[in-house]
Amino acid sequence: MIAPGNPLRESGAESYLGALEEAEMTYTHESKKPTAARREAQKAFREADAKVAMSEYERNQKAFHANRERLRSERLAREAAATAKAAQSESADHVRKKRIVS
């Protein structure tokens, strides 16, 4: 319960909370067995939801793989360019060294 002097007590929240606690105590839930029609409807909805979820999953997977391949090709192009640049600078250093030695 709410302690005396608490602003919630003066605001009437205590009576609300007390009523809420009483309502929770008196609530009883009776389980009802679904009818055959209800089970069939649930089955149909579950199948439809599964199809939607799978199509969404497949669409996301295709997008993921396409993006991964794009990034891979970009990385390979950068690496090839870096290798070519390194080879070019190495050959330039080799030519420079020859000039210095000669």
Side-chain angles (χ1 to χ4, degrees):
M1 296 312 289
I2 300 174
N6 191 321
L8 291 176
R9 185 177 202 140
E10 283 80 38
S11 68
E14 183 178 79
S15 62
Y16 170 74
L17 292 174
L20 187 63
E21 287 175 358
E22 287 178 24
E24 287 178 2
M25 290 178 171
T26 59
Y27 176 75
T28 58
H29 178 72
E30 293 181 22
S31 175
K32 295 181 182 178
K33 290 186 177 181
T35 63
R38 179 126 176 122
R39 282 191 304 268
E40 288 298 318
Q42 288 173 340
K43 183 179 177 182
F45 283 120
R46 198 170 31 247
E47 289 172 357
D49 289 342
K51 285 181 184 178
V52 168
M54 283 305 293
S55 66
E56 183 177 337
Y57 171 79
E58 289 169 353
R59 187 174 52 247
N60 288 339
Q61 286 298 307
K62 286 179 183 177
F64 172 80
H65 290 298
N67 190 38
R68 185 182 66 191
E69 288 301 316
R70 179 186 59 82
L71 293 172
R72 180 175 181 257
S73 65
E74 289 176 4
R75 177 182 52 84
L76 292 174
R78 277 194 314 269
E79 288 174 355
T83 304
K85 186 176 180 181
Q88 185 180 20
S89 68
E90 193 174 291
S91 67
D93 287 343
H94 182 67
V95 169
R96 235 182 276 136
K97 285 180 183 178
K98 274 190 169 182
R99 286 184 193 164
I100 293 172
V101 174
S102 306

